[in-house]
Amino acid sequence: MLGTDLLKRLQQNDSGALAALMGLYYDDLHNYGARFTADEALVKDCIQEIFISLWQRRETADTILSPKFYLLRAIKNKILKSLHKNNRTAFPNKEYDFSYELSIEEIIIEKQVNEEKIQKLRKTIELLTKKQKEIVYLKYYHHLDHTQIAELMNVTRQTVYNLLHETLHKLRSLLKADFIAQ
Amino acid sequence: MLNNFCSPNLTCTNPKKTFRKSSRIILIRELIIIAQKIMKDFRLFDIYDFLTDDDFIRWVQEAKKEDNEFWNNWLAQHPDKHLTIEEARRILQILTPRKSAIDDLEKEIEVKKLLDTIGAQPIDQPEPRVLHISHNKKWWYAAAVFFIALAATISYFVLTRNATAGKFDYTSVTPSKQLVENVNSSANPVRLVLPDESIVELSAGSRIAYGNNFDSSQTRDVYLSGEATFTVVKNPAHPFRVFANEIVTKVLGTTFTVRSFNKDSIIQVTVRTGKVSVYSQENTSNSETGMPNQLGGIILTVNQELLYKKSNREFKKTLLQNPVVITRDTVDQKTMVYDDAPLEKVFAQLSKIYGVSIVYDNDLMKKCTVTADLRSEAFYRKLDLICKAIGANYEIIDGQVVIQSNGCE
C-alpha cells in the first residue's frame, strides 16, 4: 500500500515522504477533524502538529500498521484534548459533538419525493445518536473495520456491531415507511 | 481490508490482500476479486449482511468495472435477490457522505508550512499522489503465476459444486456421524418430509440434519441450525428430539417451532399443539443455571414459548405474543358475548379456547361479573377488557396468566 511504503521512506529520513503523507491523508483528516469542531484554524493546527509528531518519531514509523487509522486516531485525540483544555471541563469528559449529515439528495432526485417526506426523513435522521453517526461515518466513509472503529470510539467490538445494526434497522424501517409506495 | 469473510455456516479461509493496480496485474486483480467473492455465499445474505459487506459497499460506492461485471452477472442469476439489493443500495447511498476535498492550493501551503517547521528543504512540486515506486519484476511474475493457479483451483471447485445446484445441497455435516443434511439457501421456507413421515418446514437460511438410521433408532434425533417448524408424527416409543445448539426439545407427537440461528443471542421454542419438554445439554446442576439438565425438563404446552439466552443461560417461559385459538369448535367462540356473566365462566371459556392456564382466587372474586363482547378480539386484548371490567391486573408468570385483584363489590 502506498501509505506503508511512504512510512518506510519516512523512516529513512525522507522529508519528501512526510510531505507526500500529508498530501495523501489531508482530506481524510480534515473531513474527520471538522466534525468535532467548527473551529477551522484549530483543525488545521492539529493536523500540523500530528505530522510534526510523526516526523519526530520517524525512526519507529514501521511499527504503524495502518497509517490512515493511526492518523485518524491522532486527529480525534488531539482535537478533543484541545477542546477540553479550552472549556476546562472535567477530564475525562466523554461527551463531544459530532456533526454528520446523511445524503438524501440522490434519493430525492431519483425518486422525486415530495418536500414533506424529505423533511420528515431529515428530522428522523437527526435523531440518530452521536455515537451512531460516528460509527456509520467511520465505516462508510473511511472503511475502517470493526476493531479500528471500536478503538477509536473507545467501545467494544460488540457495541460497534450493535450500534451499527441499530442504525441500519432504523434507517430501513424509515425508508420503508416513506418510500414503500415506490 | 477484507475481514469477516464468511457467512456463519460456511468455513473458508482468509482472502489474500488485494494489490495495487498496475498494468501487469489488472487481470490478476479481477481474478482475485472473483475468487474472493466465490468463497462467500451471497445467496444466504440478508439485507444487513449486504450493508456490512466490504465488497458490496465498494461496488455501490465506487462502481468499478470489475465489480459492476460481477454483480450484474450475479443479479442476473439470482433475480430473487433484486429487491433486497435495491433496498440495500438505497440505504447505502444515503449513508455514504459526499467526498470532500480541500483546495489543492491550500494543501500546498500546509505542506510548505510543515516542511518549514521541521527545517527541511521544501520540495519544488509536491505531487503527493504521483510517486514512482519500483518493484522487483521477478516477484510480480511469481505472484501472477500463483494467483492464476489459485483462481483456477477455486473455479474448479466452484464448477463442481454448481453441478449439483438446486434448493438442497446434500453434504455431510460431520464425517464422523453418518448424517443426512438439508440446507435451505433460498429466501423462502421449504417443506421436507422425514423418514417417519414427520413434516419439517425449514425457514430461509437454515439447515437440518439427521442420521440415516433415523427411522430405526431409539430416539428420532434431528440437528438444526436456523429455524424450522416441526409437525411430528406421534410415536411414544421413539421420542423425537431436536438439537439446536445446547437446547434439546423433546416431543412425542406435536407441532412446534425451534429458532436458533448462530447470529441470534436467544434460542426460541414455540408450541402450536401438544406438549414438548425442553432441556439444556449443559451438564450443570439446577442451582447454577436454573435450567434443568437432561434429567428434568421444562414442559411447554400450546401457546407457550421458551426463550433461552445463550450468553448467560437465562431462560424464560412465557406466552406467545399472539396466542391462537386451539379449539376447532366455533360454537365456543360465538359464546364469548357476556352480559353480567360470572367471572368463573368467562375464565373457564377463555382458558379452554386458548389452552392457557388462568390462575385466580375464585373465592375473592366470586362477586365479579363481566359484560363484554369478546368475539373478535385477540387473546391479550380479551384479557385487558376482562380485567378492566372487573378492576383487576394480570401478569404472565411461567407461561400462565395470573390475576391480581382485590375482588368486586
Side-chain angles (χ1 to χ4, degrees):
Chain A
M1 292 296 289
L2 187 55
T4 40
D5 290 327
L6 288 174
L7 285 176
K8 281 205 193 88
R9 280 177 46 192
L10 188 72
Q11 232 180 341
Q12 291 147 10
N13 297 316
D14 184 350
S15 60
L18 187 73
L21 279 164
M22 182 182 246
L24 185 58
Y25 292 112
Y26 199 91
D27 288 335
D28 284 339
L29 285 173
H30 190 275
N31 194 295
Y32 192 33
R35 296 178 187 273
F36 299 107
T37 174
D39 188 345
E40 177 70 15
L42 178 63
V43 176
K44 281 187 152 155
D45 282 343
C46 288
I47 295 179
Q48 285 286 333
E49 284 175 48
I50 285 167
F51 279 97
I52 292 169
S53 306
L54 180 59
W55 177 252
Q56 284 166 344
R57 55 152 295 184
R58 63 191 180 278
E59 269 175 35
T60 52
D62 62 347
T63 57
I64 297 172
L65 293 170
S66 165
K68 176 160 153 172
F69 172 68
Y70 171 86
L71 292 170
L72 288 176
R73 187 180 53 191
I75 192 78
K76 178 176 182 180
N77 288 340
K78 204 159 213 76
I79 291 184
L80 290 185
K81 242 195 204 149
S82 302
L83 292 178
H84 286 316
K85 235 193 293 175
N86 292 347
N87 291 347
R88 274 187 232 128
T89 46
F91 193 77
N93 180 7
K94 307 279 185 197
E95 272 294 301
Y96 56 82
D97 261 324
F98 190 80
S99 53
Y100 180 63
E101 303 249 312
L102 301 188
S103 24
I104 56 176
E105 283 78 19
E106 258 141 39
I107 305 293
I108 295 171
I109 297 167
E110 232 183 273
K111 302 282 175 185
Q112 315 211 292
V113 185
N114 69 47
E115 188 59 34
E116 192 197 326
K117 276 188 179 160
I118 298 168
Q119 286 313 324
K120 195 165 164 218
L121 190 63
R122 263 198 235 275
K123 218 174 242 174
T124 330
I125 286 170
E126 270 156 42
L127 288 178
L128 290 180
T129 68
K130 284 178 238 160
K131 268 209 166 81
Q132 283 172 320
K133 286 182 187 172
E134 193 176 348
I135 287 179
V136 161
Y137 167 75
L138 290 171
K139 178 165 181 75
Y140 293 106
Y141 191 86
H142 290 298
H143 306 113
L144 297 182
D145 64 42
H146 288 202
T147 312
Q148 293 170 324
I149 297 178
E151 201 185 316
L152 264 182
M153 309 274 309
N154 198 23
V155 295
T156 62
R157 279 186 57 166
Q158 186 62 43
T159 305
V160 173
Y161 177 90
N162 291 344
L163 284 177
L164 182 62
H165 275 253
E166 247 175 59
T167 313
L168 293 175
H169 274 274
K170 227 184 229 178
L171 261 177
R172 186 183 179 206
S173 49
L174 239 180
L175 283 181
K176 262 207 176 129
D178 276 349
F179 297 96
I180 202 158
Q182 305 299 322
Chain B
M1 201 83 74
L2 295 161
N3 50 3
N4 189 24
F5 218 85
C6 311
S7 55
N9 292 318
L10 297 174
T11 50
C12 28
T13 53
N14 263 325
K16 310 287 178 213
K17 270 192 181 182
T18 51
F19 285 78
R20 206 179 132 254
K21 241 184 213 176
S22 125
S23 53
R24 291 183 212 287
I25 57 161
I26 285 185
L27 176 63
I28 310 300
R29 188 180 155 82
E30 281 177 10
L31 281 174
I32 295 170
I33 287 178
I34 293 172
Q36 286 165 343
K37 287 201 183 76
I38 286 168
M39 290 196 277
K40 276 190 276 199
D41 194 347
F42 290 115
R43 294 174 298 168
L44 291 178
F45 272 36
D46 67 9
I47 189 172
Y48 302 107
D49 293 325
F50 281 115
L51 284 170
T52 51
D53 179 70
D54 290 329
D55 285 331
F56 184 78
I57 293 170
R58 187 184 62 239
W59 172 49
V60 175
Q61 291 183 344
E62 297 177 45
K64 289 198 176 128
K65 181 160 158 270
E66 48 266 23
D67 284 325
N68 283 340
E69 277 172 17
F70 173 85
W71 284 102
N72 290 329
N73 192 20
W74 191 88
L75 268 174
Q77 289 174 6
H78 303 90
D80 54 310
K81 282 295 195 192
H82 254 285
L83 281 177
T84 309
I85 288 189
E86 257 318 293
E87 216 191 327
R89 279 188 133 258
R90 223 188 294 148
I91 294 178
L92 256 183
Q93 279 171 342
I94 293 184
L95 282 175
T96 307
R98 223 157 289 297
K99 273 271 178 198
S100 77
I102 303 296
D103 182 46
D104 277 341
L105 187 60
E106 249 186 82
K107 267 188 267 189
E108 230 181 276
I109 295 172
E110 293 296 313
V111 170
K112 283 211 172 95
K113 191 166 155 192
L114 173 70
L115 291 175
D116 278 344
T117 317
I118 66 171
Q121 295 295 332
I123 298 176
D124 266 306
Q125 272 133 16
E127 282 178 321
R129 285 201 174 76
V130 181
L131 282 173
H132 301 287
I133 297 173
S134 60
H135 294 288
N136 184 342
K137 285 195 177 151
K138 249 196 203 161
W139 187 78
W140 278 116
Y141 283 130
V145 170
F146 176 79
F147 280 109
I148 290 175
L150 177 69
T153 323
I154 289 171
S155 339
Y156 170 74
F157 280 118
V158 165
L159 289 175
T160 48
R161 191 171 82 157
N162 278 342
T164 54
K167 263 189 188 170
F168 301 134
D169 286 315
Y170 275 77
T171 49
S172 28
V173 168
T174 40
S176 56
K177 297 186 182 152
Q178 301 269 301
L179 293 178
V180 173
E181 187 192 29
N182 287 319
V183 177
N184 180 8
S185 39
S186 74
N188 299 311
V190 144
R191 194 173 182 268
L192 307 169
V193 181
L194 300 179
D196 67 340
E197 314 271 299
S198 295
I199 299 174
V200 181
E201 197 188 85
L202 192 62
S203 297
S206 305
R207 53 176 65 198
I208 186 174
Y210 52 89
N212 44 20
N213 58 346
F214 183 78
D215 228 1
S216 49
S217 56
Q218 182 55 33
T219 53
R220 297 175 278 168
D221 289 342
V222 151
Y223 301 87
L224 171 72
S225 169
E227 182 182 61
T229 299
F230 300 86
T231 306
V232 175
V233 167
K234 209 166 196 162
N235 191 346
H238 300 280
F240 189 100
R241 300 191 301 183
V242 179
F243 291 78
N245 288 35
E246 60 263 44
I247 294 300
V248 187
T249 308
K250 183 166 147 188
V251 305
L252 303 173
T254 177
T255 303
F256 63 99
T257 304
V258 178
R259 185 186 165 96
S260 170
F261 285 98
N262 281 343
K263 63 181 184 196
D264 289 341
S265 54
I266 295 183
I267 303 178
Q268 208 170 323
V269 181
T270 314
V271 177
R272 302 257 164 236
T273 71
K275 229 191 270 195
V276 312
S277 160
V278 184
Y279 56 90
S280 166
Q281 284 190 93
E282 303 277 355
N283 251 338
T284 49
S285 68
N286 284 8
S287 48
E288 269 181 52
T289 63
M291 182 70 155
N293 54 23
Q294 278 192 3
L295 303 176
I298 294 183
I299 309 287
L300 286 185
T301 60
V302 68
N303 278 329
Q304 289 187 335
E305 171 173 82
L306 185 92
L307 301 168
Y308 177 79
K309 197 166 180 181
K310 289 196 274 204
S311 53
N312 57 4
R313 306 204 210 135
E314 243 181 54
F315 71 96
K316 185 165 150 185
K317 178 166 141 181
T318 180
L319 283 185
L320 286 188
Q321 287 237 9
N322 197 10
V324 291
V325 169
I326 60 165
T327 55
R328 297 179 201 276
D329 192 353
T330 48
V331 174
D332 280 329
Q333 290 240 56
K334 290 202 183 118
T335 59
M336 292 212 90
V337 182
Y338 303 108
D339 190 7
D340 228 16
L343 188 64
E344 196 178 8
K345 177 177 171 197
V346 177
F347 275 155
Q349 285 184 332
L350 190 63
S351 188
K352 181 178 169 199
I353 292 177
Y354 289 94
V356 172
S357 167
I358 303 180
V359 178
Y360 63 104
D361 188 338
N362 202 359
D363 281 329
L364 183 64
M365 301 176 80
K366 61 181 176 219
K367 283 198 191 146
C368 300
T369 62
V370 176
T371 301
D373 180 351
L374 301 178
R375 277 174 302 178
S376 55
E377 309 285 358
F379 174 77
Y380 280 111
R381 184 93 177 104
K382 283 185 167 80
L383 257 187
D384 283 335
L385 290 170
I386 295 171
C387 285
K388 214 182 205 173
I390 62 176
N393 287 321
Y394 71 87
E395 218 187 305
I396 308 296
I397 299 177
D398 213 35
Q400 296 177 316
V401 177
V402 178
I403 308 288
Q404 291 142 356
S405 161
N406 292 327
C408 306
E409 292 311 301

